[in-house]
Amino acid sequence: MLKDSILRIQQIDNLIKRKGTGSPDDFAARLHISRRCLYDYINKMKDWGAPIEYDLFKQTYYYTEEGKFTIAFTCN
């Protein structure tokens, strides 16, 4: 389950970086999830600091600042 969530966040991150999400309904359909589930992922990503916004004119989500999600274990 956690692996699926991480993969889904990576998919969402990739599409947002490309500004190729489409509307929330299109974005959710592309990911094969409900719109409610999409909003849950986006809100979680925002909680983690992702500056995600939605452009009504272009109908796409985008980051207001450059960055990336890194989910990894590192040893010091």
Side-chain angles (χ1 to χ4, degrees):
M1 180 90 165
L2 179 59
K3 182 180 177 182
D4 293 338
S5 294
I6 291 170
L7 291 174
R8 181 78 66 212
I9 289 170
Q10 289 173 330
Q11 287 178 307
I12 292 169
D13 176 53
N14 185 43
L15 288 167
I16 291 173
K17 282 193 268 189
R18 293 187 338 201
K19 297 180 182 150
T21 67
S23 69
D25 287 329
D26 293 339
F27 195 10
R30 182 173 291 150
L31 297 168
H32 306 288
I33 59 176
S34 68
R35 190 169 65 171
R36 177 72 256 156
C37 189
L38 172 67
Y39 290 148
D40 288 344
Y41 277 111
I42 288 173
N43 287 332
K44 180 54 70 182
M45 292 169 74
K46 286 181 176 184
D47 288 346
W48 293 336
I52 300 170
E53 296 291 334
Y54 183 73
D55 186 321
L56 284 171
F57 180 72
K58 294 180 181 178
Q59 296 225 340
T60 191
Y61 285 92
Y62 65 98
Y63 290 122
T64 59
E65 297 177 39
E66 289 208 25
K68 66 179 180 176
F69 270 91
T70 304
I71 302 170
F73 175 80
T74 58
C75 295
N76 293 329

